[in-house]
């Protein structure tokens, strides 16, 4: 079994390999609802940030979902044997109770890493996003890193 790291907790195990999840941000995957927006009324153009209920949010941001307990994915035997590393990028759909409703693989290096990451997310616990203090369903990007050590 391979252990990994989540920002702020844990390290790899003695097998020399590790897998871990990191909060979205800085991973090269743009967040839906953020960035410049165009619009406005007569004679003007508006610019602002998107987002809101049900949108694609980032873990750990104000109003965003929170990883309460991240189960560490197992490093697949074949990937370890072949020396494969990489990052699996998942889109997680959480309901208003923080339960995982769906996990979609957006990017994978293959070799069973995506299945391992998906299974770990399904064993994990999350706190839901909030809008005006009320829990809401949302989607969030979660990269899961697999690194041999």
């Amino acid at each position: 079994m391979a252990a990994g790291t989540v920002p702020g907790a844990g390290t790899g195990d003695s097998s020399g390999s590790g897998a871990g999840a990191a909060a979205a941000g800085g991973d090269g995957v743009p967040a839906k609802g953020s960035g410049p927006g165009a619009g406005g009324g007569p004679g003007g153009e508006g610019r602002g940030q998107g987002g809101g209920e049900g949108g694609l949010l980032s873990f750990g941001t104000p109003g965003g979902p929170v990883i309460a307990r991240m189960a560490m994915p197992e490093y697949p035997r074949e990937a370890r044997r072949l020396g494969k590393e990489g990052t699996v990028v998942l889109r997680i759909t959480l309901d208003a109770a923080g339960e995982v409703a769906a996990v979609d693989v957006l990017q994978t290096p293959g070799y069973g890493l995506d299945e391992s990451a998906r299974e770990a997310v399904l064993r994990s616990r999350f706190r839901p996003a909030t809008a005006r203090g009320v829990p809401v369903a949302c989607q969030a990007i979660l990269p899961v890193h697999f690194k041999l050590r």
Side-chain angles (χ1 to χ4, degrees):
M1 175 189 304
T5 61
V6 173
T11 60
D13 69 0
S14 61
S15 68
S17 59
D27 56 14
V29 179
K32 183 177 182 181
S34 65
E45 180 178 340
R47 297 226 173 259
Q49 297 288 350
E53 295 180 30
L56 191 61
L57 302 174
S58 295
F59 283 99
T61 60
V66 174
I67 300 171
R69 184 185 63 80
M70 183 67 193
M72 290 297 112
E74 294 206 20
Y75 215 110
R77 186 171 293 151
E78 178 186 13
R80 184 185 312 217
R81 183 178 61 81
L82 296 172
K84 299 299 179 183
E85 299 179 333
T87 300
V88 177
V89 180
L90 303 171
R91 179 177 53 225
I92 302 171
T93 303
L94 300 173
D95 65 17
E99 298 293 323
V100 177
V103 179
D104 300 308
V105 178
L106 301 180
Q107 180 182 336
T108 180
Y111 302 97
L113 298 175
D114 51 341
E115 291 91 354
S116 181
R118 189 177 185 287
E119 289 170 7
V121 165
L122 291 172
R123 292 190 319 267
S124 299
R125 297 290 170 249
F126 302 91
R127 287 197 302 269
T130 58
R132 294 177 294 284
V134 178
V136 295
C138 71
Q139 290 185 330
I141 299 296
L142 182 68
V144 181
H145 306 286
F146 289 85
K147 176 94 173 138
L148 291 169
R149 296 190 187 109

